[in-house]
Amino acid sequence: MGKIKVEKDCGGIEGLYVIEPAVFGDARGYFMETYNYNDFKEAGLDHVFVQDNQSASTKGVLRGLHYQINYPQDKLVRVVSGEVYDVAVDLREGSKTFGKWFGVRLSAENKKQFFIPKNFAHGFLVLSDTAEFCYKVTDFYHPDDEGGIMWNDPEIGIDWPLDEIKGTEVLLSEKDKAQASFEEYRRNTKSL
């Protein structure tokens, strides 16, 4: 191993990992492996990814908090340009950290990756002028399978670094403006 450094159970939440790849640089630039199945498996991350996604966003864009209902996905996320504050919220039924969140800065500069297991809500806030965000997932996209929780739900209490986007409004999609509260999420989940 030795090609990646792994921080497990981030924020005391079982299953969350922050991964730092080994970066080999010189005057010409750098090289790194962003994913190596053997290294990840040795670190306890034995997953088969079936789809890669990429998005571009401007400063102040907040995407999330999203989760999958019937086809949950493990996600391995990273930033290839710019910087974001990335957040995962534990939605695993019976988890001792249910409703708890953890956030990490992901940037092209620090090259960190964040592994988010199934049954977590996920979102990120763009801190730089622009950011390109990449993520690998373990199930295919199902358009009618996405749920959401309001990004600023007071019960969850995510400490988004909004002071770093001063002068810029938080930009949400129409769908994210209408997401459910955490209380509504819990109520709807119990009725299923």
Side-chain angles (χ1 to χ4, degrees):
M1 194 165 127
K3 293 184 183 173
I4 58 173
K5 179 182 170 188
V6 178
E7 178 187 345
K8 297 180 180 182
D9 301 337
C10 299
I13 303 174
E14 186 178 340
L16 292 181
Y17 292 72
V18 173
I19 298 125
E20 293 185 56
V23 180
F24 305 95
D26 60 25
R28 299 169 297 158
Y30 71 88
F31 172 83
M32 68 179 186
E33 287 182 359
T34 59
Y35 177 75
N36 180 303
Y37 175 79
N38 292 331
D39 289 345
F40 275 67
K41 182 178 178 181
E42 189 175 326
L45 294 163
D46 188 5
H47 302 277
V48 176
F49 295 101
V50 299
Q51 184 174 321
D52 281 5
N53 303 310
Q54 185 165 335
S55 67
S57 305
T58 57
K59 187 175 190 174
V61 167
L62 196 146
R63 297 183 187 266
L65 300 163
H66 303 149
Y67 60 90
Q68 293 72 42
I69 301 166
N70 298 306
Y71 302 95
Q73 303 171 328
D74 299 298
K75 299 173 185 74
L76 179 63
V77 302
R78 67 189 181 101
V79 170
V80 295
S81 171
E83 181 179 18
V84 307
Y85 187 70
D86 199 77
V87 171
V89 179
D90 189 350
L91 299 181
R92 297 171 297 182
E93 190 175 323
S95 168
K96 64 183 178 189
T97 54
F98 178 78
K100 302 298 182 204
W101 66 274
F102 175 78
V104 61
R105 288 175 183 276
L106 303 177
S107 70
E109 186 178 318
N110 71 23
K111 298 176 180 43
K112 290 180 179 180
Q113 298 180 67
F114 189 27
F115 177 81
I116 304 149
K118 292 177 173 75
N119 301 311
F120 275 72
H122 172 251
F124 64 88
L125 171 66
V126 178
L127 302 176
S128 51
D129 289 338
T130 60
E132 290 184 54
F133 188 85
C134 297
Y135 49 111
K136 303 174 100 47
V137 294
T138 57
D139 199 350
F140 297 102
Y141 176 63
H142 299 272
D144 298 324
D145 193 52
E146 192 169 74
I149 297 172
M150 185 56 72
W151 68 278
N152 59 352
D153 183 272
E155 187 177 350
I156 295 173
I158 297 170
D159 187 16
W160 297 98
L162 297 176
D163 57 322
E164 295 186 36
I165 64 162
K166 279 187 179 168
T168 303
E169 182 182 339
V170 172
L171 303 170
L172 302 166
S173 69
E174 290 305 313
K175 176 177 68 175
D176 286 344
K177 288 178 184 176
Q179 297 290 15
S181 68
F182 189 52
E183 180 183 349
E184 290 169 314
Y185 166 81
R186 287 195 322 274
R187 194 168 50 241
N188 291 336
T189 304
K190 286 179 182 176
S191 66
L192 296 177

